[in-house]
Amino acid sequence: MARAANAEVLLEVRNLVKHFPIRQGIIFSRQIGAVQAVDNITFNVHKGETLGLVGESGCGKTTAGRCILRLIEPTSGDVIFDGRNVPQLAKDELRDLRKEMQIIFQDPYGSLNPRMTVGDIIGEPLHIHKIAKGAEREKRVREILETVGLSAFHARRFPHEFSGGQRQRIGIARALAVNPRLIICDEPVSALDVSIQAQVINLLQDLQEEFGLTYLFIAHDLSVVKHISDRVAVMYLGKIVELTGKEELYRNPKHPYTQALLSAIPEADPTIKKERIILRGDVPSPINPPSGCRFHTRCPKVMDICRVQEPEFVDSGDGHYVACHLVPAAEGAGKN
Ligand code: SF4
């Protein structure tokens, strides 16, 4: 699907930070450190596009998604949705905004209340946001169920009566119920069988076309993101290290971490030989991240400067943003 990358910006994330304090002591507890889950990330999402946000588990991508929706409070930074700065909104303003920004969770088992019927699960946001009640609400629930490929009679059933793929369709229906403009898809297919993953991704793409939705699609798998994204941002240890259009990223990855991730994706064509880049060691702890470039402890191209100086996140040309000392900024390049 082609969506204009130059379209209007719907969501601006500026210098977003989320540090979880670590405390010691029960009565006089004091902060002894912090988990630096998200550390100063900046990106835009344009109207109607899908921005993929990828990285290994623990890199901060899910925390970033939750901070954007204020399901958890960010430590600092701005999240500007359609001109409103989400971290500064009062409770009632935030409740109104939640109609426009929804989330689909990773776990299609844990994210649905087992004691509620599917009709009540999908109808609940309609009730909370005073969108529809009574017969009108039931009609809307039936319509949404059919939109996501389920049937109206499923409204009377309970979540345990469905397969994983069907439950994720229920999660999508719940998000769609309030006519959102932005949906944060938080690893929506990671818990599903590969055969079902494609169905759910196709459904998300069809819904995007039909309703003009904008997605922030969070995943750890670059091959999944490739199918659905217009642009991709790669995260490592709380930082975005590369961000560009999908075609450009897969054809011309510039950050050594992205290069390593892409080298691990198997080729469908056995005649294409690809050299696998094996990264040494595990992802360091976000409690005490490495100095300078956070990737320096695992980077095959590490230089002395990388250990002491953090690389800036710069436009290397045509909106291809990279944070690496090996990649210079393009002359006169603009901001993301
Ligand atoms: Fe590797 Fe240095 Fe670039 Fe970091 S800044 S990715 S350590 S070359």
Side-chain angles (χ1 to χ4, degrees), residues 255-256 293 295-296 299 301-303 306 311 323-326:
H255 195 282
C293 172
F295 187 54
H296 86 248
C299 180
K301 298 179 180 172
V302 62
M303 305 171 288
C306 308
C324 173
H325 289 303
L326 288 170

Side-chain angles (χ1 to χ4, degrees), residues 40-94:
N40 205 3
I41 64 170
T42 292
F43 61 90
N44 291 335
V45 187
H46 302 117
K47 270 187 189 160
E49 81 163 340
T50 299
L51 177 71
L53 188 58
V54 284
E56 291 162 287
S57 22
C59 72
K61 54 194 188 303
T62 289
T63 303
R66 283 165 199 221
C67 284
I68 290 168
L69 290 178
R70 257 180 84 187
L71 295 178
I72 49 180
E73 292 291 334
T75 305
S76 61
D78 297 319
V79 176
I80 298 161
F81 179 82
D82 205 21
R84 288 161 288 180
N85 196 353
V86 180
Q88 289 173 8
L89 294 180
K91 257 190 179 167
D92 50 341
E93 293 172 309
L94 186 60

Side-chain angles (χ1 to χ4, degrees), residues 54-165:
V54 284
E56 291 162 287
S57 22
C59 72
K61 54 194 188 303
T62 289
T63 303
R66 283 165 199 221
C67 284
I68 290 168
L69 290 178
R70 257 180 84 187
L71 295 178
I72 49 180
E73 292 291 334
T75 305
S76 61
D78 297 319
V79 176
I80 298 161
F81 179 82
D82 205 21
R84 288 161 288 180
N85 196 353
V86 180
Q88 289 173 8
L89 294 180
K91 257 190 179 167
D92 50 341
E93 293 172 309
L94 186 60
R95 196 177 47 235
D96 282 349
L97 195 77
R98 288 256 165 82
K99 268 191 277 190
E100 301 180 48
M101 300 166 80
Q102 287 283 307
I103 184 165
I104 301 166
F105 293 100
Q106 173 182 1
D107 180 2
Y109 296 89
S111 62
L112 303 176
N113 187 334
R115 291 186 198 86
M116 288 169 78
T117 64
V118 167
D120 288 340
I121 289 170
I122 299 170
E124 190 179 41
L126 295 171
H127 170 71
I128 291 170
H129 294 291
K130 301 186 176 69
I131 292 172
K133 57 183 180 180
E136 197 192 331
R137 188 165 78 197
E138 283 170 29
K139 179 169 170 270
R140 176 96 181 109
V141 167
R142 287 198 299 272
E143 284 170 0
I144 298 168
L145 278 170
E146 279 162 13
T147 303
V148 299
L150 295 170
S151 300
F153 68 85
H154 286 135
R156 293 189 298 275
R157 299 204 175 156
F158 287 87
H160 73 266
E161 298 176 63
F162 294 88
S163 66

Side-chain angles (χ1 to χ4, degrees), residues 226-286:
K226 189 176 183 180
H227 286 289
I228 194 163
S229 303
D230 297 296
R231 292 184 303 143
V232 179
V234 180
M235 271 189 91
Y236 182 79
L237 208 56
K239 300 265 186 197
I240 293 182
V241 296
E242 185 156 10
L243 190 165
T244 186
K246 170 178 73 176
E247 303 296 341
E248 168 73 358
L249 188 92
Y250 287 83
R251 192 182 51 236
N252 182 26
K254 293 187 179 178
H255 195 282
Y257 177 59
T258 315
Q259 289 166 356
L261 288 181
L262 285 174
S263 79
I265 298 179
E267 279 292 342
D269 180 351
T271 61
I272 298 176
K273 292 248 179 303
K274 202 157 74 166
E275 198 182 327
R276 173 96 195 258
I277 303 167
I278 309 282
L279 293 178
R280 292 169 290 139
D282 293 326
V283 183
S285 165

